[in-house]
Amino acid sequence: MGGSGLQGARERRIRSGGVELRVAELGEPSRPTVVLVHGYPDSKEVWSEVASRLSGRFHVVLYDVRGHGRSTAPSPLRGGFTLEKLTDDFLAVADAVSPGRPVHLVGHDWGSVQGWEFATSARAEGRIASFSSVSGPSLDHFGHWIRRRTRRPTPRAVGQLLSQGAKSWYVYLLHTPVLPELAWRGPLGRRWPGVLERLEGVPAGSYPTASLPQDAAHGAWLYRDNVRARLRRPRPDAHAHAPVQLITPAGDAFLSERLYDDLDRWVPRLTRRTLAAGHWAPRTRPDLLARWIGDFAEAHEPGGPGGSGGERDAGREPAAPPRGAYGRRFGGQLVLVTGAASGIGRATALAFAAAGARVVAVDRDADGAVRTADEARAAGAAGAWAETADVSDEQAMEKLAERVTSEHGVVDVLVNNAGIGLAGSFLDTSPEEWRRVLDVNLWGVVHGCRLFGRRMVERGQGGHIVNTASAAAFLPSRTLPAYSTSKAAVLMLSECLRAEFAGRGIGVSAICPGIVNTGITSTTRFAGADEEEQRRRQRKSAQWYGRRNYPPEKVAEAVLDAVLRDRAVVPVTPEAHGARLLSRLAPKALRGLARLRPPL
Ligand SMILES: NC(=O)c1ccc[n+]([C@@H]2O[C@H](COP(=O)([O-])OP(=O)(O)OC[C@H]3O[C@@H](n4cnc5c(N)ncnc54)[C@H](O)[C@@H]3O)[C@@H](O)[C@H]2O)c1
């Protein structure tokens, strides 16, 4: 069974409709109960990583679905796996482990398909406080989804049907007699952990395999007993009686996100979240999944902030979950932004906050970082903290990484944004000035990527790194040799890292803004100029940037979009786009422009 066991779990057996269900419990029974239901072809151990993370806060209950793991199988198998019988099983477990108190239900894959049945069937009304669904639709909703598209076959509808149809190839196979059983007892069963490791990044040693061929063979009846019948005749009244958190892995090879387009009409209290993961998220993203499940359950405890039937505690009222793609993708994620006290970094921290992320605002300007953290909380962050650090200081960055990891966990999105400007010809630029600009602009990014990137890799649950480069990275000029060199290095570092982290689900993006109206003009140094001349040029460039007046909020928007769509290089302003295009199509023209004397 590899390293996937449920250590310290209490076991019990519960009888339901002629089968014996094996149930495992973790955590204090007086706490709110979370019931985790596994999918196909798994057993309850698939939830072990999530269960152990939840057990400090909840009474966690898992059971082997009939015919799976160590639960016995119905006899005969045919007709023994209907959703009605599976509902009997769930109610028997819920009554035994949490008598008289509704449970928080969580399902993955077929466990989620079952969960939808429980959350929409009148028999289970009042027994479910909340339902978190991961990668498994309601067969009724799916049936209606197909009907609507076949009745009005617009090109878009047909496209969606074909796309989901192609993803469902295995469902057709599972309806065939005997073939799946033979395949799972033979080569497929032996190779399955390797397949999951290759396709999904599930570490082979950690995937539970003890009962795999049997689970897969019996589980085929889940499909045969239910899918065709329900898709043909979906229930007309399959409305959810419990609040639902829909967690959709963005890289799910088996389910299209489009399936959930119509869900609002079935679920009056719906929270949507998107996870950067494949289908087996309970094994590859246990940290984030456990946090989302735990937060949703806590918010919907009867008598709690979002629960029904109790006094509402205004102080604990959770912020309405942010809507839209950013809210779904970044809600609850841990995002660290450097240079967050001002300009682009501040705007980026606030944009992630508005999407419901947990934000760590880092800057060498301690007061500014605190201000941004305060604003982030007001903007809707699920948590916001200020940290003071100079990104060019390796030891300070090491301490920062240790502190952040131990207090808040591994960072999901890192934005290496802190940077300083330096203008002046090459011959006017002193070695000291070179060192300073490279220390902050390049080494700051190197430290961030090394320290936080390594932790992302070790956690093995993906992530994203954004590095703020500049349009100067592809624009040679006689006026910004040191700054442009530092930014070209950041751009190349980002490209190299993107290649190295590609197989680990960690994206890397380089943002190349252009001219953006921030405080950078007041801190930019002009090499070779005396103090008076410094101030004159700073004033001039501030006026110039002010007239251009491109707001940092638009750069922040580009940052969130870059992470969402995993974009490699992102020019932001029109001049940045133009410069990027010219650097590819007409580098000679750029070289000509580089010789011009600056207007300042
Ligand atoms: N403003 C632009 O036109 C423009 C264009 C392209 C790229 N950029 C880049 O965008 C990034 C952000 O710049 P901005 O325009 O928002 O400038 P800004 O001066 O408004 O903000 C930069 C922030 O970084 C912080 N910082 C500077 N050095 C630091 C260090 N060593 N350690 C920790 N924090 C430090 C500053 O205190 C400040 O809060 C920089 O990397 C800059 O090079 C800016």
Side-chain angles (χ1 to χ4, degrees):
M1 180 170 308
S4 60
L6 289 159
Q7 267 135 29
R10 306 178 292 279
E11 294 254 356
R12 64 160 114 177
R13 299 158 194 231
I14 294 172
R15 293 206 68 82
S16 165
V19 299
E20 186 178 81
L21 301 170
R22 288 298 194 111
V23 182
E25 288 173 84
L26 293 161
E28 215 8 82
S30 61
R31 298 234 164 110
T33 300
V34 173
V35 177
L36 303 165
V37 188
H38 69 82
Y40 178 88
D42 302 326
S43 59
K44 63 180 178 315
E45 277 73 17
V46 81
W47 280 116
S48 61
E49 294 287 327
V50 174
S52 66
R53 284 162 174 80
L54 287 170
S55 61
R57 291 159 79 185
F58 297 97
H59 171 216
V60 183
V61 176
L62 315 90
Y63 65 96
D64 285 324
V65 171
R66 51 172 59 208
H68 295 68
R70 288 184 297 132
S71 292
T72 59
S75 176
L77 292 170
R78 181 186 298 279
F81 288 85
T82 60
L83 285 166
E84 290 72 19
K85 291 185 175 159
L86 296 166
T87 307
D88 293 339
D89 293 353
F90 164 69
L91 289 174
V93 172
D95 286 346
V97 299
S98 180
R101 189 174 172 188
V103 302
H104 299 281
L105 171 66
V106 183
H108 171 245
D109 183 89
W110 255 93
S112 171
V113 176
Q114 293 187 52
W116 278 110
E117 177 76 8
F118 314 154
T120 57
S121 103
R123 281 203 291 152
E125 194 160 356
R127 297 298 292 125
I128 300 172
S130 75
F131 170 41
S132 290
S133 153
V134 188
S135 281
S138 148
L139 291 183
D140 297 300
H141 300 165
F142 193 6
H144 288 290
W145 185 91
I146 294 173
R147 274 190 181 191
R148 252 194 309 284
R149 282 158 185 75
T150 45
R151 282 187 187 157
R152 295 192 54 214
T154 61
R156 201 176 121 92
V158 173
Q160 292 181 355
L161 280 167
L162 289 176
S163 155
Q164 180 54 48
K167 288 187 172 204
S168 299
W169 54 268
Y170 64 99
V171 180
Y172 317 126
L173 279 183
L174 281 163
H175 275 85
T176 59
V178 192
L179 204 63
E181 281 84 346
L182 286 177
W184 282 108
R185 286 188 204 286
L188 186 57
R190 280 194 303 281
R191 297 210 179 117
W192 187 238
V195 171
L196 282 190
E197 181 163 41
R198 244 188 346 274
L199 297 183
E200 297 259 332
V202 176
S206 83
Y207 182 75
T209 52
S211 51
L212 180 61
Q214 173 112 321
D215 298 342
H218 286 159
W221 289 101
L222 292 167
Y223 292 87
R224 294 169 184 154
D225 275 354
N226 298 294
V227 174
R228 231 176 336 198
R230 273 303 168 91
L231 293 188
R232 263 194 218 143
R233 275 180 303 283
R235 288 183 299 145
D237 55 350
H239 298 277
H241 45 71
V244 178
Q245 168 171 236
L246 179 78
I247 300 175
T248 318
D252 198 319
F254 304 104
L255 294 167
S256 148
E257 280 187 72
R258 297 269 77 87
L259 265 185
Y260 301 109
D261 281 355
D262 311 332
L263 204 55
D264 298 70
R265 59 180 279 242
W266 298 108
V267 186
R269 288 170 289 168
L270 177 65
T271 299
R272 293 175 186 257
R273 292 194 186 284
T274 309
L275 192 62
H279 185 77
W280 264 270
R283 303 269 1 137
T284 56
R285 298 286 186 277
D287 280 346
L288 196 56
L289 217 48
R291 196 157 65 231
W292 284 352
I293 291 167
D295 290 351
F296 192 69
E298 247 160 32
H300 293 92
E301 248 305 274
S308 52
E311 280 284 298
R312 281 175 174 242
D313 175 351
R316 287 181 58 219
E317 186 84 32
R323 300 189 80 80
Y326 292 154
R328 295 200 290 276
R329 170 70 169 78
F330 301 121
Q333 294 228 315
L334 185 62
V335 178
L336 185 144
V337 183
T338 68
S342 164
I344 294 169
R346 173 182 166 275
T348 303
L350 296 184
F352 277 112
R358 301 179 305 137
V359 176
V360 183
V362 179
D363 207 289
R364 63 177 175 192
D365 166 6
D367 293 343
V370 168
R371 264 196 311 277
T372 299
D374 288 344
E375 290 175 310
R377 244 169 266 123
W385 304 274
E387 289 283 350
T388 314
D390 179 339
V391 295
S392 67
D393 180 339
E394 184 181 346
Q395 283 179 356
M397 287 296 279
E398 273 172 11
K399 285 195 184 123
L400 173 76
E402 273 164 29
R403 214 165 40 239
V404 168
T405 311
S406 71
E407 285 173 18
H408 312 297
V410 175
V411 166
D412 297 299
V413 180
L414 166 70
V415 186
N416 286 310
N417 162 80
I420 53 173
L422 177 65
S425 77
F426 175 76
L427 291 181
D428 282 340
T429 308
S430 69
E432 233 350 275
E433 286 168 323
W434 266 100
R435 254 177 234 122
R436 187 63 199 146
V437 82
L438 290 179
D439 276 352
V440 177
N441 291 8
L442 176 57
W443 274 104
V445 176
V446 172
H447 294 323
C449 291
R450 272 191 64 240
L451 295 163
F452 292 99
R454 179 175 297 286
R455 286 170 167 85
M456 281 184 195
V457 168
E458 284 168 358
R459 178 179 65 166
Q461 297 178 38
H464 204 102
I465 297 176
V466 178
N467 295 327
T468 312
S470 166
F474 30 78
L475 268 181
S477 87
R478 61 186 294 165
T479 51
L480 295 169
Y483 181 77
S484 306
T485 302
S486 73
K487 293 300 185 181
V490 168
L491 179 62
M492 183 50 84
L493 168 62
S494 309
E495 293 271 24
C496 295
L497 208 55
R498 188 174 170 87
E500 182 168 337
F501 285 177
R504 303 175 183 271
I506 301 172
V508 181
S509 305
I511 305 292
C512 304
I515 297 167
V516 184
N517 195 11
T518 69
I520 200 165
T521 47
S522 61
T523 53
T524 294
R525 301 284 304 163
F526 293 83
D530 61 24
E531 280 312 308
E532 199 179 315
E533 181 61 8
Q534 289 281 351
R535 279 194 294 281
R536 193 189 68 78
R537 291 208 190 168
Q538 283 177 349
R539 246 192 339 269
K540 275 275 200 196
S541 54
Q543 279 171 3
W544 201 50
Y545 274 54
R547 242 177 276 135
R548 170 76 183 85
N549 204 17
Y550 194 91
E553 288 73 21
K554 281 200 178 178
V555 184
E557 168 82 23
V559 171
L560 269 69
D561 182 68
V563 181
L564 189 73
R565 298 202 275 148
D566 191 16
R567 298 182 61 195
V569 180
V570 183
V572 184
T573 61
E575 63 272 12
H577 280 283
R580 171 108 168 126
L581 206 66
L582 277 183
S583 73
R584 290 164 144 196
L585 303 180
K588 254 192 169 168
L590 275 193
R591 285 183 202 120
L593 289 174
R595 295 178 182 198
L596 297 179
R597 285 196 177 279
L600 299 176

